[in-house]
Amino acid sequence: MATTPITCNHTHHALPCFLTRCNSTTITFSRTKYPPSTSLLSQFRVFCQSKLEQAILDFAEGLRVIGIKPEEKVALFLDNSCRWLVADQGMMASGAINVVRGSRSSVEELLQIYNHSESVALVVDNPEMFNRVANTFYSRTSMRFVVLLWGEKSDLVGQENKHVPVFTFMEVINLGRESRQALSNTHDAGKYQALTKN
């Protein structure tokens, strides 16, 4: 599991503030080496393993699994939500460049942004939003895939281009989680083999 290290330099302020922000996370402490003159509390590093961080990393890896490469552009057409944050940060964590616009923009404006930015895939709010742009985007863009952050694929209409895969948010997350777990297991197995050879 990935962890985020935070060093507490000002023990009276940093740790209480950090604990407040991480109320739904796992907090672990790790001893670090500081000069004897520093306080006992500042000799520890705080690690925060949050569900949000894991979701972002899973989404990033899920994008890689379904074909996004670093520096490629992905259109993110939706309004702010918790899943918007995961998708936005996940795209950046994967090395992709996100092209952001609100879902209330006109179809022509979204089409212009998508094509002008040379996006290769589309992430949208929900089936209703995609249904509104589907005919135009199928006929006038090149989409590698579509991701629905909310809702189900069964609510999509008019899928003329069945060759363009559609993924739900949870499908991308699950693909990423499985891939990260497999990579972790391979890494652990490699370390174990190296230790047993010595």
Side-chain angles (χ1 to χ4, degrees):
M1 234 183 214
T3 58
T4 304
I6 297 187
T7 304
C8 299
N9 294 327
H10 304 287
T11 57
H12 298 328
H13 304 291
L15 187 58
C17 184
F18 177 74
L19 289 173
T20 302
R21 289 188 196 140
C22 289
N23 59 357
S24 65
T25 61
T26 303
I27 308 287
T28 56
F29 294 90
S30 168
R31 184 86 173 185
T32 57
K33 294 183 181 179
Y34 284 91
S37 61
T38 59
S39 72
L40 181 63
L41 187 55
S42 65
Q43 296 179 36
F44 288 87
R45 297 185 84 190
V46 180
F47 293 88
C48 176
Q49 299 173 335
S50 72
K51 291 180 181 179
L52 175 61
E53 178 187 9
Q54 296 309 308
I56 289 168
L57 295 174
D58 289 341
F59 195 87
E61 179 62 12
L63 289 177
R64 189 195 67 76
V65 169
I66 59 180
I68 291 298
K69 299 175 182 63
E71 307 283 323
E72 288 189 312
K73 293 157 184 114
V74 179
L76 181 62
F77 295 160
L78 61 143
D79 298 320
N80 287 340
S81 70
C82 56
R83 289 186 176 179
W84 180 93
L85 178 63
V86 171
D88 175 70
Q89 296 298 301
M91 286 177 189
M92 288 191 278
S94 74
I97 300 165
N98 53 357
V99 179
V100 181
R101 189 67 178 144
S103 65
R104 287 173 234 151
S105 302
S106 70
V107 175
E108 283 302 317
E109 182 181 358
L110 296 174
L111 177 69
Q112 164 70 16
I113 291 168
Y114 186 93
N115 284 332
H116 184 70
S117 66
E118 300 177 348
S119 291
V120 298
L122 178 62
V123 178
V124 296
D125 213 346
N126 53 44
E128 293 76 24
M129 195 267 170
F130 183 67
N131 289 339
R132 184 167 64 89
V133 303
N135 289 336
T136 302
F137 271 65
Y138 278 137
S139 62
R140 298 169 62 187
T141 68
S142 174
M143 294 182 291
R144 195 176 299 160
F145 60 81
V146 175
V147 176
L148 300 173
L149 290 194
W150 301 95
E152 300 300 325
K153 293 185 275 189
S154 59
D155 295 327
L156 297 176
V157 295
Q159 283 186 273
E160 292 84 4
N161 291 25
K162 300 272 187 186
H163 67 277
V164 177
V166 178
F167 299 92
T168 65
F169 176 80
M170 288 311 301
E171 285 175 334
V172 176
I173 290 283
N174 290 335
L175 285 168
R177 184 176 298 131
E178 290 166 11
S179 176
R180 290 179 65 223
Q181 186 61 52
L183 289 169
S184 176
N185 291 344
T186 302
H187 178 70
D188 290 345
K191 285 198 325 192
Y192 175 76
Q193 288 174 352
L195 286 173
T196 56
K197 285 181 183 176
N198 292 337

